[in-house]
């Protein structure tokens, strides 16, 4: 690779690293998309060419997640955070209540938006414990009269991940899976809706994938605004207005790449191994590095830890940049270090970070 195409190890939490073959393919197809003489960004979303792109992206998500026919795959805009409003605007109602499980800062933001629409019942709140763990299954009790239960399967900032699917006990389960979608197999039948901003495991920012079942669609209010109406978006196949054509195209390519890697089961093994190597480096450092999340709730996607002082955190980040790594600075609200290692992040990059951790601890202990 020449210097202007040289890649570094990008630990960014999102937008995040994309598979190199996906970027190469997009580059190859840039000037004349499949012989059309136009780029994907210049063709009509109503063209048959774009229809193929949409079908490829939808089909990829369907196959990878093993979705039955009663689940719809939608491509929306506004980011995952827009769903924090769109969900209560559709499923809460002024007289309704919804249960929220809060294990980090994104869940907290979801609660804030839902509270503008109706009654929010927080059935687990990890704030007082500093968002260090997910609740154990017995700790959450879903209210029988709740319109839905909302939770965040992986809290990107805090590095807290559920290692089980919450049982909604018949109440529709809605999951923000922005930072761990397609990273491991899940039991889709337990969920009425799963959503994710694409910019971590699925593609570029600007497109949000929403997987929603037919039953939940029936709860959309009759006179809903067209672009807030999941049912309308489903029946128009995400083309109630002009969709993010470029983003959907890349989601399709990322899915194709993931299928070539052996799908979700195969990538889950790689993800487990990547996370294990980093947590081992933390745990075997004689306390030089401290993991943020409790061991049973450690994220496999966002490994959060800190050094003995803020100054050392900073020096560690500078040294990582000198060694060709980027994006390791923790979120400004929690500080420390965060290594985001989504599906497309290579194992060699994890080993490079483990080497840095070993060397840095030896020199600064
Ligand atoms: N939920 C989670 C778990 C996230 O990590 C993020 C973004 N980092 C969001 C929601 C918000 O996503 P967006 O910026 O796409 O609105």
């Amino acid at each position: 690779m020449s210097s202007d195409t040289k890649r570094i190890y990008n630990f960014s939490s999102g937008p995040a690293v994309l598979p190199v073959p996906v970027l190469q393919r997009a580059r190859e197809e840039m000037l004349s998309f499949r012989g059309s003489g136009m780029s994907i960004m210049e063709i009509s979303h109503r063209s048959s060419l774009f229809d193929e792109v949409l079908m490829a992206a939808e089909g990829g998500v369907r196959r990878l997640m093993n979705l039955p026919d009663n689940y719809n795959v939608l491509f929306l805009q506004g980011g995952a955070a827009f769903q924090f409003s769109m969900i209560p605007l559709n499923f809460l109602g002024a007289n309704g209540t919804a249960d929220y499980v809060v294990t980090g800062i994104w869940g907290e933001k979801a609660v804030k938006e839902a509270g503008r629409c109706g009654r929010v019942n927080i059935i687990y709140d990890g704030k007082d414990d500093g968002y260090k763990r997910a609740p154990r299954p017995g700790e959450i009790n879903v209210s029988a009269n709740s319109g839905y239960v909302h939770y965040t399967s992986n809290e990107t900032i805090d590095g807290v991940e559920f290692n089980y699917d919450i049982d909604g006990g018949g109440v529709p389960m809605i999951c923000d899976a922005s930072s761990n979608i397609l990273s491991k197999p899940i039991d889709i039948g337990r969920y009425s809706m799963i959503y994710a901003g694409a910019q971590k495991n699925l593609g570029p920012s600007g497109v949000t994938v929403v997987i929603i079942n037919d039953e939940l669609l029936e709860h959309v209010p009759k006179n809903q605004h067209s672009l807030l109406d999941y049912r309308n978006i489903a029946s128009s196949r995400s083309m109630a207005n002009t969709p993010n054509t470029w983003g959907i195209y890349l989601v399709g390519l990322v899915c194709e790449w993931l299928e070539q890697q052996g799908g979700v089961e195969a990538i889950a093994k790689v993800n487990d191994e990547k996370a294990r190597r980093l947590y081992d480096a933390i745990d075997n450092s004689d306390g030089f590095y401290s993991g943020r999340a409790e061991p049973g709730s450690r994220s496999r996607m966002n490994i959060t830890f800190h050094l003995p002082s803020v100054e050392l955190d900073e020096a560690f980040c500078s040294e990582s940049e000198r060694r060709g790594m980027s994006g390791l600075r923790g979120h400004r609200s929690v500080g420390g270090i965060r290594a985001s290692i989504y599906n497309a992040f290579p194992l060699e990059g994890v080993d490079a970070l483990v080497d840095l951790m070993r060397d840095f601890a030896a020199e600064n202990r």
Side-chain angles (χ1 to χ4, degrees):
M1 275 190 191
S2 68
S3 63
D4 63 345
T5 53
K6 187 175 176 299
R7 304 276 295 170
I8 60 165
Y9 292 128
N10 176 9
F11 289 91
S12 170
S13 59
V17 59
L18 284 163
V20 171
V22 165
L23 297 174
Q24 284 168 332
R25 173 91 172 272
R27 179 177 62 183
E28 278 157 25
E29 295 189 323
M30 183 64 80
L31 288 185
S32 178
F33 183 67
R34 306 200 183 149
S36 66
M38 299 173 275
S39 76
I40 177 70
M41 288 172 280
E42 299 166 297
I43 62 172
S44 167
H45 60 298
R46 306 277 173 207
S47 62
S48 56
L49 210 46
F50 183 70
D51 200 53
E52 282 172 29
V53 169
L54 184 62
M55 292 212 315
E58 181 189 330
V61 173
R62 271 192 185 286
R63 284 190 300 277
L64 285 164
M65 293 187 71
N66 223 346
L67 298 182
D69 287 347
N70 61 328
Y71 283 78
N72 306 271
V73 180
L74 315 180
F75 299 96
L76 282 79
Q77 302 187 54
F82 187 62
Q83 296 304 305
F84 297 167
S85 302
M86 198 164 160
I87 290 162
L89 284 167
N90 278 281
F91 307 126
L92 186 46
N95 301 319
T97 65
D99 285 355
Y100 276 70
V101 178
V102 182
T103 49
I105 289 162
W106 292 108
E108 209 179 297
K109 288 180 192 286
V111 165
K112 186 172 171 210
E113 299 306 326
R116 300 178 201 275
C117 302
R119 279 218 338 268
V120 174
N121 193 13
I122 299 177
I123 57 170
Y124 177 82
D125 189 355
K127 191 169 191 159
D128 289 345
D129 294 338
Y131 295 137
K132 294 211 164 58
R133 67 175 182 95
R136 285 171 279 279
E139 273 181 282
I140 32 184
N141 287 313
V142 172
S143 330
N145 63 345
S146 178
Y148 60 87
V149 185
H150 180 280
Y151 86 108
T152 315
S153 50
N154 182 64
E155 279 285 355
T156 322
I157 293 174
D158 311 276
V160 167
E161 186 172 12
F162 279 82
N163 60 14
Y164 64 95
D165 301 286
I166 297 182
D167 184 358
V171 173
M173 182 61 66
I174 300 183
C175 175
D176 174 0
S178 290
S179 47
N180 70 351
I181 193 164
L182 295 184
S183 71
K184 61 176 179 185
I186 57 151
D187 181 358
I188 187 66
R190 287 175 175 269
Y191 296 90
S192 296
M193 171 172 166
I194 296 180
Y195 65 97
Q199 65 270 23
K200 301 165 200 303
N201 257 342
L202 293 170
S205 60
V207 59
T208 307
V209 173
V210 171
I211 293 140
I212 184 166
N213 71 10
D214 289 339
E215 212 180 318
L216 190 60
L217 283 184
E218 287 178 15
H219 295 260
V220 173
K222 287 277 172 296
N223 197 26
Q224 183 58 286
H225 291 259
S226 316
L227 286 174
L228 293 175
D229 182 337
Y230 290 111
R231 204 171 24 212
N232 176 38
I233 294 165
S235 62
S236 62
R237 297 180 57 237
S238 304
M239 293 209 276
N241 68 338
T242 317
N244 178 349
T245 50
W246 162 255
I248 294 170
Y249 161 62
L250 280 195
V251 170
L253 294 188
V254 169
C255 287
E256 198 179 312
W257 171 83
L258 189 48
E259 289 189 281
Q260 284 161 3
Q261 308 310 300
V264 170
E265 282 82 5
I267 209 80
K269 293 203 180 85
V270 181
N271 288 335
D272 286 345
E273 178 60 20
K274 289 190 301 192
R276 190 190 61 76
R277 289 188 193 186
L278 283 177
Y279 286 120
D280 279 356
I282 292 170
D283 294 340
N284 298 332
S285 71
D286 289 328
F288 187 77
Y289 301 106
S290 327
R292 203 181 138 69
E294 286 185 9
S297 301
R298 284 174 159 179
S299 170
R300 300 156 315 116
M301 298 279 102
N302 311 98
I303 284 70
T304 49
F305 58 97
H306 58 87
L307 283 78
S309 70
V310 177
E311 290 71 32
L312 282 171
D313 285 341
E314 196 45 45
F316 183 88
C317 288
S318 303
E319 177 59 15
S320 73
E321 280 157 23
R322 215 186 51 74
R323 291 196 186 195
M325 301 175 208
S326 136
L328 281 165
R329 211 165 262 108
H331 190 270
R332 59 190 182 282
S333 60
V334 296
I337 310 294
R338 170 175 54 176
S340 298
I341 49 168
Y342 303 117
N343 286 350
F345 190 92
L347 188 61
E348 308 83 68
V350 167
D351 289 339
L353 178 56
V354 169
D355 288 347
L356 165 63
M357 290 170 76
R358 187 199 52 226
D359 298 348
F360 194 88
E363 284 158 24
N364 294 279
R365 214 175 264 289

